[in-house]
Amino acid sequence: MLEEKNDNLQEADGKSGIEISDSTQNEAIEILSSEIAPENEISPESEMESTVEVEETNHQTALDAITNSNAEESEDETLKERHDIPMQDYDTFSLDALVDELKKLVNTDKVMSVKDHIEEIKKSFLLQYNHLIEEKKEEFNASKQDPNEEFEYHSPLKSKFDEYYNVFREKRNAHFKHLQTNLKSNLENRLAIVEELKELINPQENIKDTLKHFNDLRERWKNAGAIPKDKYNHVWNNYHFHVENFYDYLHLDREARDLDFKYNLDQKQKIIARVEELVNETDISKAFRELQDLHRIWKEDIGPVSKEHRDTIWNKFSELTKKIHDKRELLFESQRANEQQNLEVKKAIIATIEVLATEKVGSHSQWLVQIQKVEALRNEFFAAGKVPSDVNEETWAAFKTAVRNFNSFKNSFYKDIKKDQNDNLNKKMALVAKAKELQESVDFGTTTPIMKQIQEEWKQIGHVPKKYSDKIWKEFKDACNHYFNKLKEHKSEENGDEVAAFDNKKAYLDTLRAYQLTGDHKTDLDAIKLHIETWKGFGKVPFSRRHIEGKFNKILDALFEKLSLSKKETEMMRFSNRIDSLSESNDTRKLDNEKIFLMRKIEEVQNEIFQLENNIQFFTNTKNAKKENSIVLEVRKNIAIHKESLDVWKDKLKQLRNLGQE
C-alpha cells in the first residue's frame, strides 16, 4: 500500500507506472537507489537534466497552487463563494466605513466565504483604532490636572465593531464544530474505500463480480463528502493509485476498460480545450478560479486514460496550467508594483510629518493649522493603500513614531501655556464669585456699572482649561443674566412714573413760555430758581423723550438774557441745571466725560494765559517799554478775559466734584 506520496495530479494520471504490490514498490526504490551517480561524478546529460528539473519545478509550483486551493475548498465547500465577494483594500477605509462593511458581511449566510474579508477588516480597524487610542492617551497625559486620574476612553464605534465581530465568531465556531464532525467521519469512510480497493485485486474472483464491486466503490467515493485539507492530497493519490492498479494490472474485460479509457480521454480533452480558451481570458482571477474547478473535475470525477496517452495529455494540461499560473503571477507582480508605489507615498507622508514635528509654532491658532495638516496627512496615509507585506509593520511603526513625535512637540507647547490657562481660570472664578455676590443687589445705580465692568474684564481674560470652560461660563452668564433681568423688571416699574413726569413737564413748558419778568432783579431771579426747582421735582422722563430737557433749557436761556445778571452768574446757573439733569439720570459716564472736558478746558486756558504773559514779558524788555502801545494793551485785555473764563471753568469743576461727594 502507498501510505505517503508527495505527488499530486501528475501521478493521479498514472505517470509513475508503479507496480501492484508493496514489494514491487520496494524493489523499484532499491533499483533507483542503486543507479544514483556518485556525488562527484558529472554525467554528460547533467546540464539538460538540470534544465528539465527547473522546468518541472515551475510546473509543480503552478500545480501546487491549484492543489492547495482545492484542498482548502474541498474541506469546506462554502469557501468557493469567497471568490464572488471582492476583497477590497480595507486599509483605505475609515473606521466608520469598516464598521459598516463588517455589518454587511456578517449578515451573509455563508460565514466561511467572508472569513478572510472579515479578518482583513479587523486588522485594518485595529490598526487605526489603536493609533487613535494612543493619540487620545497622549492628549490626556498632556492636559490632566490630577496626577491620580486614570485614562479612560469609550468609543461607540468600537462597541459596534465588537458586537458585529462577536456575531461572526459565534457563527464561525458553530460552523467549525459541525464541519469537524463530518470531516472525521468522511475521512474514515474514504480510507475504508481505499482498503477495499486494495482487496479487489484477487485473480480468484469472478471478473464480473469484481467490476460490479469496483463500480460500487467508485460511486461510494463520489458521495463520501469532504475530508480535512491536510489529508486531501495523500488520500486522493492513494485512491487513484489503486484505481490505476485495478485498470492496469488486472486481467479485466479489455473492451469495457478501453471504453472507459476512451470516455475519460474525451472528457480530459474537453477540459484541455476549455483551458486553452482560459489562457486568453482577460480576467486572470476568474480564469484561475475556473482552472481550479477543472483540476478538481480532472482529479476527482474523471478516471484514468490508457498508458499511451497519459503522459501526453497530462503534460499538455500541465503546460496550460503553467501559462495561466504565469499570467496570474504577472498580475501579482503588478499588484506588488502598486504596493511599492503606495510605500513611496507613505514614506513621503511620514517624512512630511517628521518635518512638522520640528517646526516651531508660537500661538494656538498656528498650532491649529499644524494639527489640521497632520490630520490631512494621516487621512492620506490610510487612503494610500497596501504596501508590501514584508515592510508593512516597519512602515506602520515609522508612521506612529512620526505622529507621536509631532504630538509630543505640540504637547510641550501647551504645557508651557497651561500655567497661563490656570491663572486665567483663577481670575474668571473670582469674577464668577463677584457676579454671584452682586446678582441679588437692588442698588441698581451702584451695582450696574460694576456688573458692566466685570463683564468687560471677563472678555479681556484669555483661555482657561477646556474641561472647566463651559462650566464657569455658564455660572458667570447665569449670575449676570439674573441681575440684569431684575434691573429690567425694575425699569419696567419705573416707566409709568417717567411717562407721568414727561406729561407734567410738557404741560409746564406752556406755563413757562407765558411767564413774564417783573423787572425786579431779585424777584425775577427767585422766580426763575423756583421754576427750575419745580421742573426738577417732576422727576426723570423716558430716555426716548429726553429732548424735552433741551426745550426747557432754551426757555431758561431766554429768561437769563433778559435778566441783568453777570455773565458768570448766568453761565453757572445754566451749568448747575445741566449737571443736576445728568445727576438725576444716573448717567455716570456722561458726568465723567464732563469732568474730563472741564479739566482739559482749564488746561487750555492756563496755557493761553501763560503764552500771553510771555508775550507781555517780551514787550516790557524792549527799549520802548516805558510807554505801552496798543498791542500790549490788547494782550493785557485778553489775559483778563482768559482769567475770568478760567475762574468760571474752575467753579464748574468744583461744583461737579462737590456733586460726587454728596
Side-chain angles (χ1 to χ4, degrees):
M1 173 184 174
L2 180 62
E3 294 299 335
E4 283 290 345
K5 292 181 67 178
N6 295 324
D7 323 275
N8 44 46
L9 291 178
Q10 182 173 320
E11 293 182 349
D13 242 354
K15 184 178 179 182
S16 62
I18 298 176
E19 298 296 331
I20 301 174
S21 64
D22 294 340
S23 61
T24 305
Q25 297 173 42
N26 294 332
E27 288 174 8
I29 294 171
E30 289 174 5
I31 293 170
L32 289 171
S33 300
S34 65
E35 291 178 352
I36 296 176
E39 184 177 350
N40 297 325
E41 183 178 343
I42 302 176
S43 64
E45 296 85 7
S46 62
E47 185 176 349
M48 184 175 68
E49 289 176 354
S50 177
T51 303
V52 172
E53 287 177 2
V54 171
E55 187 66 23
E56 287 182 352
T57 300
N58 291 339
H59 283 209
Q60 193 61 44
T61 300
L63 295 171
D64 287 345
I66 298 288
T67 301
N68 293 336
S69 184
N70 278 342
E72 187 180 14
E73 292 180 5
S74 176
E75 180 183 70
D76 186 354
E77 291 188 352
T78 61
L79 290 174
K80 295 178 183 179
E81 298 183 19
R82 63 186 168 181
H83 301 302
D84 299 327
I85 303 173
M87 179 67 76
Q88 303 187 60
D89 189 354
Y90 295 115
D91 284 348
T92 64
F93 281 38
S94 66
L95 289 174
D96 290 301
L98 287 170
V99 171
D100 291 340
E101 186 71 10
L102 175 63
K103 179 181 179 182
K104 182 176 70 175
L105 293 179
V106 164
N107 289 329
T108 59
D109 294 333
K110 304 296 183 181
V111 63
M112 297 307 292
S113 64
V114 296
K115 175 177 68 70
D116 293 342
H117 301 70
I118 288 179
E119 291 305 324
E120 286 295 316
I121 289 174
K122 178 183 177 183
K123 183 174 71 174
S124 297
F125 182 89
L126 291 180
L127 278 176
Q128 293 191 51
Y129 181 75
N130 290 335
H131 178 58
L132 175 65
I133 290 297
E134 288 180 8
E135 288 187 331
K136 295 294 182 183
K137 191 170 184 179
E138 288 177 1
E139 290 178 5
F140 169 79
N141 290 332
S143 62
K144 71 177 180 180
Q145 306 290 324
D146 183 0
N148 298 320
E149 188 178 3
E150 295 185 358
F151 172 73
E152 290 183 5
Y153 182 76
H154 173 69
S155 170
L157 208 59
K158 180 64 164 60
S159 300
K160 285 185 178 180
F161 180 88
D162 291 340
E163 176 187 346
Y164 299 145
Y165 188 81
N166 287 336
V167 171
F168 160 73
R169 189 165 54 186
E170 290 173 2
K171 286 184 175 182
R172 182 189 61 188
N173 292 342
H175 178 82
F176 271 140
K177 186 176 180 181
H178 175 73
L179 183 65
Q180 291 302 318
T181 302
N182 292 338
L183 290 175
K184 183 178 179 181
S185 174
N186 295 342
L187 176 61
E188 293 173 354
N189 190 16
R190 287 188 183 275
L191 291 175
I193 292 173
V194 171
E195 290 300 317
E196 288 188 53
L197 269 175
K198 290 166 60 177
E199 301 300 326
L200 279 181
I201 305 175
N202 186 353
Q204 305 302 321
E205 289 189 2
N206 181 280
I207 189 65
K208 290 185 178 180
D209 293 337
T210 302
L211 274 173
K212 184 177 181 303
H213 192 183
F214 174 72
N215 289 330
D216 288 343
L217 289 175
R218 290 181 65 183
E219 192 63 28
R220 284 168 54 194
W221 182 268
K222 288 180 181 179
N223 299 320
I227 62 174
K229 60 184 177 183
D230 59 327
K231 305 294 184 182
Y232 174 83
N233 204 39
H234 171 64
V235 172
W236 276 99
N237 282 339
N238 275 347
Y239 170 74
H240 281 283
F241 172 74
H242 292 293
V243 167
E244 288 170 4
N245 282 345
F246 182 80
Y247 273 102
D248 292 340
Y249 300 104
L250 290 182
H251 299 289
L252 301 177
D253 183 332
R254 288 191 175 276
E255 183 178 351
R257 185 191 67 177
D258 290 344
L259 285 173
D260 202 17
F261 279 164
K262 185 175 182 299
Y263 174 79
N264 293 340
L265 178 62
D266 181 60
Q267 295 301 308
K268 290 186 175 182
Q269 286 174 337
K270 289 180 180 179
I271 287 178
I272 288 174
R274 177 56 186 157
V275 177
E276 287 175 335
E277 294 175 358
L278 290 178
V279 170
N280 299 318
E281 171 64 51
T282 55
D283 188 340
I284 307 301
S285 298
K286 177 182 177 183
F288 188 79
R289 289 198 299 272
E290 187 172 345
L291 181 63
Q292 279 183 239
D293 293 335
L294 294 175
H295 269 263
R296 189 183 299 112
I297 294 170
W298 182 291
K299 183 173 184 177
E300 300 177 12
D301 297 343
I302 304 175
V305 299
S306 61
K307 282 186 175 182
E308 61 183 296
H309 296 297
R310 285 180 188 174
D311 287 349
T312 303
I313 198 168
W314 170 251
N315 290 338
K316 180 68 173 175
F317 188 40
S318 176
E319 182 65 31
L320 292 170
T321 296
K322 182 179 179 299
K323 287 183 179 181
I324 295 178
H325 180 268
D326 289 347
K327 291 182 70 174
R328 185 167 177 252
E329 283 300 308
L330 287 175
L331 176 63
F332 288 159
E333 189 65 32
S334 174
Q335 292 174 347
R336 285 190 286 270
N338 289 336
E339 290 177 355
Q340 188 63 37
Q341 291 179 356
N342 295 342
L343 175 61
E344 297 304 319
V345 171
K346 288 191 173 183
K347 282 183 176 179
I349 291 172
I350 292 170
T352 305
I353 295 176
E354 288 174 344
V355 171
L356 290 173
T358 61
E359 292 181 353
K360 292 185 178 180
V361 177
S363 69
H364 174 65
S365 60
Q366 290 175 325
W367 268 112
L368 289 178
V369 173
Q370 297 293 85
I371 292 169
Q372 289 173 356
K373 287 180 181 178
V374 172
E375 184 62 24
L377 289 168
R378 181 179 179 276
N379 293 334
E380 288 179 25
F381 183 89
F382 287 117
K386 290 184 177 180
V387 300
S389 58
D390 58 331
V391 295
N392 185 51
E393 291 297 328
E394 177 186 343
T395 307
W396 176 247
F399 172 71
K400 289 198 296 183
T401 300
V403 173
R404 187 181 298 113
N405 290 341
F406 172 81
N407 287 334
S408 298
F409 191 50
K410 174 196 68 177
N411 292 339
S412 66
F413 168 80
Y414 285 105
K415 283 179 181 177
D416 292 339
I417 66 172
K418 194 172 179 179
K419 182 180 181 302
D420 292 338
Q421 290 190 346
N422 287 332
D423 291 342
N424 294 338
L425 175 63
N426 292 332
K427 292 177 183 178
K428 286 193 172 182
M429 289 178 68
L431 292 181
V432 169
K434 194 171 183 180
K436 287 183 175 180
E437 180 185 342
L438 296 174
Q439 66 179 353
E440 298 295 345
S441 173
V442 294
D443 185 2
F444 299 110
T446 304
T447 305
T448 301
I450 299 175
M451 290 295 283
K452 290 181 178 180
Q453 179 62 32
I454 64 175
Q455 285 181 324
E456 288 299 319
E457 290 179 19
W458 182 279
K459 294 176 184 178
Q460 301 304 318
I461 299 174
H463 294 287
V464 301
K466 188 176 180 181
K467 63 186 296 184
Y468 302 110
S469 177
D470 293 342
K471 179 176 180 295
I472 63 171
W473 165 243
K474 184 177 185 304
E475 291 181 10
F476 182 72
K477 183 178 68 173
D478 289 348
C480 291
N481 287 345
H482 181 79
Y483 172 78
F484 284 107
N485 286 337
K486 288 185 64 177
L487 177 62
K488 186 176 179 180
E489 292 174 1
H490 173 71
K491 287 184 175 181
S492 296
E493 292 173 359
E494 288 184 338
N495 282 343
D497 295 337
E498 291 177 356
V499 171
F502 174 78
D503 292 338
N504 291 332
K505 286 186 175 183
K506 185 179 180 182
Y508 194 74
L509 280 180
D510 296 334
T511 302
L512 195 58
R513 288 190 185 101
Y515 173 73
Q516 296 293 328
L517 295 175
T518 62
D520 180 70
H521 177 78
K522 185 177 183 308
T523 302
D524 291 337
L525 183 59
D526 290 341
I528 292 174
K529 288 182 178 180
L530 181 61
H531 285 308
I532 293 173
E533 292 301 320
T534 303
W535 183 269
K536 290 179 180 178
F538 290 137
K540 290 194 303 181
V541 300
F543 182 83
S544 60
R545 301 183 182 183
R546 290 187 63 187
H547 60 276
I548 199 171
E549 300 293 338
K551 294 180 178 180
F552 175 71
N553 289 330
K554 285 183 179 180
I555 296 174
L556 284 184
D557 289 343
L559 292 174
F560 285 141
E561 288 178 1
K562 295 177 181 180
L563 282 175
S564 56
L565 292 175
S566 69
K567 183 178 180 181
K568 181 177 179 180
E569 287 178 316
T570 303
E571 187 72 21
M572 290 305 298
M573 288 189 70
R574 290 174 178 172
F575 179 75
S576 178
N577 182 59
R578 182 167 176 272
I579 293 304
D580 287 344
S581 177
L582 290 175
S583 177
E584 289 177 1
S585 66
N586 291 321
D587 196 336
T588 57
R589 182 176 61 84
K590 287 187 176 181
L591 288 172
D592 289 339
N593 290 340
E594 186 70 24
K595 186 184 296 183
I596 293 171
F597 171 75
L598 292 174
M599 293 171 68
R600 286 178 179 173
K601 291 300 293 184
I602 290 172
E603 185 179 2
E604 289 177 7
V605 174
Q606 286 176 335
N607 289 337
E608 286 288 336
I609 294 171
F610 179 76
Q611 184 64 43
L612 291 171
E613 287 178 343
N614 281 344
N615 294 340
I616 290 291
Q617 187 68 28
F618 172 77
F619 284 113
T620 56
N621 291 333
T622 62
K623 293 180 179 180
N624 299 321
K626 293 180 180 180
K627 185 178 181 180
E628 292 184 344
N629 57 29
S630 60
I631 297 176
V632 174
L633 293 175
E634 184 66 27
V635 171
R636 290 190 184 282
K637 182 179 179 181
N638 284 339
I639 291 174
I641 293 172
H642 278 79
K643 285 184 176 181
E644 184 180 349
S645 173
L646 181 61
D647 290 340
V648 174
W649 292 119
K650 285 182 176 181
D651 287 345
K652 287 182 178 181
L653 181 60
K654 182 179 179 181
Q655 184 177 340
L656 185 58
R657 283 174 173 169
N658 291 337
L659 180 66
Q661 294 174 359
E662 292 177 358

